[in-house]
Every structure is written in C-alpha cells, then in structure tokens.
Amino acid sequence: MSNEVIALIVIFIFVIGATIVGMIPGMNKKMSLEEWAVGNRSFGRWLNWFIMAGEIYTAFAFLGASGWAYARGGPTFYILGYGALAYVVGYYLLPAIAK
C-alpha cells in the first residue's frame, strides 16, 4: 500500500474512534437541547472566556481576518484592539446576560 492510503486509513480510524468515544457518555442519558448545546448553562466564567478566545483565534483568525487583511491592508490592525476590548467587556457582561 502507498503512504497516502495508509494515512487515509489512520485518519478514518481516528475519526471513527473519536466519534464512538464521544457518543458513549451521551447514550445513557436523555438530554434536552439546552443541556446538549450549552451544557445546561452551567459553564463558568473562565470556561466561557476561553471558549470565546478559542473561537476568535481559530475561525475568525484563520478565515475572516487574514482574508480581510490581505484585501485591505493596514487598517485591519484595529482587530487587535477590538479583540482585547471584546474580552474585557465579555468577561463582565456575558455572565450577567447568561443568567
């Protein structure tokens, strides 16, 4: 077998294994949509903060900001200030909204 086929088999096994491991805990409990989607609103302030940071530094950074910076150039540096301000405001404001 070629290296490409072996790599695809390893990736396929990993994806199937991760899916099975992820499904096992949920099979024993019937969850509502709120429990499944937002953890029954029991995430703490720090976990929410890190989830927001992860979303900004993955989806926005790799998909939105880089293309926008390529198209428009220097004015996109405001993203750095905008992100920092969003973290500070979100840290204090979002827990109150979540309740």
Side-chain angles (χ1 to χ4, degrees), residues 2-3 21 25 49 53 55 72 75 79 94:
S2 67
N3 290 339
V21 167
W49 190 78
E55 197 279 328
R72 293 190 177 75
I79 292 171
L94 291 178

Side-chain angles (χ1 to χ4, degrees), residues 36-73:
W36 179 82
V38 293
N40 203 17
R41 298 188 186 266
S42 63
F43 294 156
R45 179 180 286 199
W46 284 104
L47 183 59
N48 274 331
W49 190 78
F50 281 110
I51 289 172
M52 287 174 42
E55 197 279 328
I56 287 175
Y57 288 122
T58 55
F60 181 65
F62 293 117
L63 301 176
S66 59
W68 201 54
Y70 179 77
R72 293 190 177 75

Side-chain angles (χ1 to χ4, degrees), residues 12-99:
F12 182 74
I13 290 171
F14 179 77
V15 168
I16 295 299
T19 302
I20 291 170
V21 167
M23 290 175 64
I24 289 172
M27 292 177 147
N28 298 331
K29 181 181 177 188
K30 181 71 176 161
M31 292 189 289
S32 69
L33 181 61
E34 184 178 4
E35 286 176 318
W36 179 82
V38 293
N40 203 17
R41 298 188 186 266
S42 63
F43 294 156
R45 179 180 286 199
W46 284 104
L47 183 59
N48 274 331
W49 190 78
F50 281 110
I51 289 172
M52 287 174 42
E55 197 279 328
I56 287 175
Y57 288 122
T58 55
F60 181 65
F62 293 117
L63 301 176
S66 59
W68 201 54
Y70 179 77
R72 293 190 177 75
T76 56
F77 279 116
Y78 93 94
I79 292 171
L80 300 173
Y82 174 81
L85 182 63
Y87 288 148
V88 171
V89 171
Y91 181 79
Y92 292 106
L93 187 63
L94 291 178
I97 292 173
K99 290 179 183 176

